[in-house]
Structure formats: C-alpha cells, structure tokens
Amino acid sequence: MQRSEISSVNHPFRPARRILARVLAAALLLLPTIPLTIAPVAGVAQTLPTLGDTEREGLSPLMERKLGEQIMHDIRSDRDYIDDGPVSEYLNNFGLNLVAIHPEVRGEAGFDFQFFMVRDPTLNAFALPGGFIGVNSGLVLAAQSESELAGVLSHEIGHVAQRHIARMLGQQKQNSMIQLAAIVLGALAGVSKAGGDAAMATMMGGTGLAIQRQLNFSRDAEREADRIGLQIMRDGGFDPSGMVTFFGRLQSASRNFSDAVPPYLLTHPLTTERIADIEARIRDQRYKQRVDNPEFQLVRARTQVLQNESVQGLRDVAERFQSQMKQNTKLQTMSAKYGLAYVYYRQDKLEQADAMLKEAREASQPFNTGIMFSSLEIDIKIARKQGQQALQLADASAKQFPISRVMARQYGEALIAAKRYDEAVAYLRDQAQLYRTDPQIQKQLAKVYAAQGKQALQHLALAEAYALNGSLLAAIEQLGIARRAPDATFYDQAMIDAREREWKEKWKDESKDMKDRG
C-alpha cells in the first residue's frame, strides 16, 4: 500500500496503520508463489507513463485484485470502516470521475476502482492492491476544496496506475537476492583469515544495500504518483495548486514526526521537495479557478458527525455547527444546518431533525445538492414511522437519481417501512440479480422475510450477506439455522445443501492457504 504522507499525531486507534500491516504481510506471504509470466497487453493507452515493467511482474493483475479483495473483507468488518451510503457514493462518484479523465489508469487488467472512508483523524489516504482506495475521515475534513481532495485521490490513483504494489514485490525479490548473496559471501569470509568481523560486515552491508534500495523505490513511487496525479488534475479542470496547498497542510501536520527522521530513512520524499517539484511543473500554467460542488460541503458536515459518534462527540459537533450557522456565508450556513439535522437524527431527536433539515433546504437554494437532502429526509421519515411518506419520497428520489445505489437501497427500506412486503421482496430480488456482490441487499431481504415470518428464507439471506462480507463460518452457521427452520421447503433444503458444500470447500481452501503461508 502506498501512503500519501507520514502521519504525525499519536492516536490510540489507527485503522489505516492496521491496514498497512495487513497489506505488507499478505504481499510478503504471496511472494514465493507468484508466477512471473504476465506480459503487458498491447494497445493500452500510453498517455501516462508505465514504468518498472520487469519489477511489476512480481504480482499478476489477477492476484493483485484478489489480494485487494481479501484485505477489503477485513476492512469492511472493522468497526472504523465507515459504511455510510451518501458519503461512499460521493467519494466513488468523485473518484471515478477522476479515473475517467485518463481511463488508461485502469491498466491492462481494467481495474474497477472503489473508494471508501475509514474513521481516522489523521491526514492520510492509501491505495490497496487492485484499485481499492481508502480515505481517512480526517483528510476529508482537512480538505478546503475539491481541488485539494482531487490532488490526494489523483495521487493514490497514480499508485494504482503504476502498480506500485506489484513493483514493490519485484523489488523485494531483487533485494532478497542481494541479501542472500551477502549471507553467502559473509559465510565465506567467516572461514577465511579475515574472520568473523569481515563476515558480519559483509552481511550487514548487503542488508543495508537492500534496505536502501527499498527506500529509494518507495520515494520514487511517491514522485511518480505525484506527477500522474498532477496530470489528472490539470486535464480534469481542477486547480493544480490545490495539491501544493494540501501538501503544505500535510507538512504542518507531520512536522514533529518527520523532523526527527533523517531524510535518507524516509519512505516518502520530503514534503518540501515534493512541493517544489509540483510548483516547478505548474509555474507556467494559467491559474484556473474551479467552483466546488456544494455536495462537498455537505459530505464534510456529515463526516464530522461520523468521525465521533459518541454521546459527547455528537454534542461537541452540534455546538460547532451552531457556531458555524452564525457565519454569513450561504454555503457554510447550509452545510451547518444540514450537519445539525443529521446530529439530531443520530440523537433520535426526530422532530428537531425534520425541522432543521427544512431550514437547510431553504438555505441550499439555488445549489444542486445531489442526494444528500433526500437521503436524510427518507431516513427521518422511516425513523418517525411515516412509512407511506417515506415511500413517496423514495419513489420520487429514485426516479430523480436513477443510477444512485443509495436511493435504490432506501427505496427498498421504504417499501419495508410501508409494510408492502411482497413488493419489497420482488424489488430486492431484482436488485440482488443486478448487484450480486452487494451484501446490503441480502440484509434487506432478510429483514423483509423476518417481517413476513419466513424463517428459512430470512436465514438464507443472512447467510448470503455474511458470505459476501467474507465471513464464511458465520454464513455456514446461518445455513444450519435455516435448515432447522420449520418452514424450510424441499427447494430451500436443496439450496442450503448446495451453498453449504460450496462455502465449506471455499473455507477449506482458504484455511489451507493460510496454513501454508503461516
């Protein structure tokens, strides 16, 4: 995984750092078994540079994607993975628009990029193998414009485009050979007249060279990602100085840590060096102001609430929003009122939430705010047991935003809230066929089956949801409950048997794989 900068603030719980450990451990365990037979596909666009072809053969695109998916299974089960529909949809729409500027960043494997958020106050983002890009909540809150956010995400897209994880493995293979050669030479020196000191010096020299090569590679990877990110920003109409501005903010955040580390031990180039490099590249470009999407400020407001969901955390953020509402800028007033409405919703103060959201809507005119207001209003209506009103709103919103996954899910929730269970089952089954890897649909199906008293189907749907999240043992356990349900039909039993065989075999293979590696 490549990081956008070294973090400096001590924090007791850092999902991003745990993720880093998972990636490196998984990558190193895969190293001995990865074939070196993948060749670049002819005809891939060459607008962006593709460097290190020999090194990137350390991990095939298929294995890279598989590794990323395995890591994502762990991340999604982490309590600090933010599974919030509106925030996730904004990040993915924004990130995929960046990818569309230079589609060749998908590479020969055609990586399907996915963007997600984790709860972490530090200013960081990270790229996982296979096109998964994570963003810390603290980074979104620190970004003052979409150009700044685009600078960070474009940088991480650059890591994926250059397949730095695969190249890192190739580099590590070369480093392993250097270390092995040093050990052999050290052993020979140990039996010569030079004795043990010469042997130790030879071994340490080889190890030091290997470490320095790895550090050099990491710094070069950061420079490559910076340059690709800058190209994406420039061609996408963003203000390239946003990358410089945000790097300056990162430099301030990490000064206490990085000042204590010698430059030659940093895996990232010094931030001052990166800023100077980017400034040199944009010096002759005409200044280009870009108007932010108002949705960006609403996402930042929502993220403030999601970052600390404790009772005291919600009180603190409510006070901040109330102070922000006193500002005279229309955009800040709108986002503060929306944020406060969301706080009231999370505090179960539903009448206040409804009233504040209406004020936020009035303040939002004439801005285009996407799904943000409709989504929260549907949630409030469902929480207030106003199922029919929620369904009417969800139906209108789904028609207004036909490709929104959030609206599609909320339409299913509204059908359930309105107690139109048969329609909900038919709709969700269609959605499950369209989006076979979405566990949320299966959870909704389980919910409506439970409302209908269909126990076998309820636990079958829960089993599918657990399996899609990578929890095979929990999925198999749900199959056992479904098998014992009094309403399980012959067809249900056949489905249970088939799924059980499939998942037990998959679990057996995964267990064997983990045993072989560990």
Side-chain angles (χ1 to χ4, degrees), residues 310-345:
S310 66
V311 173
Q312 187 58 48
L314 292 176
R315 289 174 182 165
D316 292 342
V317 75
E319 290 179 5
R320 289 199 295 271
F321 285 137
Q322 287 165 347
S323 298
Q324 184 179 326
M325 282 193 297
K326 297 176 183 178
Q327 300 180 17
N328 292 325
T329 62
K330 190 175 181 65
L331 201 59
Q332 291 299 317
T333 301
M334 173 199 71
S335 61
K337 288 185 175 183
Y338 172 85
L340 192 56
Y342 188 47
V343 171
Y344 288 148
Y345 167 72

Side-chain angles (χ1 to χ4, degrees), residues 345-358:
Y345 167 72
R346 299 301 295 262
Q347 292 176 327
D348 206 29
K349 299 176 181 179
L350 300 178
E351 289 187 17
Q352 290 174 266
D354 212 350
M356 185 56 64
L357 187 61
K358 288 177 182 176

Side-chain angles (χ1 to χ4, degrees), residues 46-49 98 101-102 104 154 224-238 240 243 281-282 285:
Q46 296 300 317
T47 305
L48 299 179
L98 294 174
I101 295 167
H102 280 284
E104 63 269 25
S154 296
E224 288 178 19
D226 285 345
R227 291 163 191 169
I228 290 175
L230 184 61
Q231 187 171 342
I232 291 173
M233 290 185 69
R234 183 176 57 235
D235 295 343
F238 291 92
M243 183 179 282
R281 291 174 179 274
I282 66 174
Q285 294 183 26

Side-chain angles (χ1 to χ4, degrees), residues 17 65 124 136 190 193 208 217 348 413:
R17 290 199 170 183
R65 182 69 181 189
N124 256 315
N136 284 10
K193 294 180 180 179
F217 172 80
D348 206 29
E413 287 290 342

Side-chain angles (χ1 to χ4, degrees), residues 361-382:
R361 274 192 183 277
E362 293 173 1
S364 71
Q365 300 302 322
F367 297 134
N368 178 11
T369 56
I371 67 167
M372 301 299 294
F373 284 103
S374 296
S375 175
L376 180 53
E377 188 174 0
I378 293 168
D379 284 339
I380 293 171
K381 297 297 184 190
I382 291 175

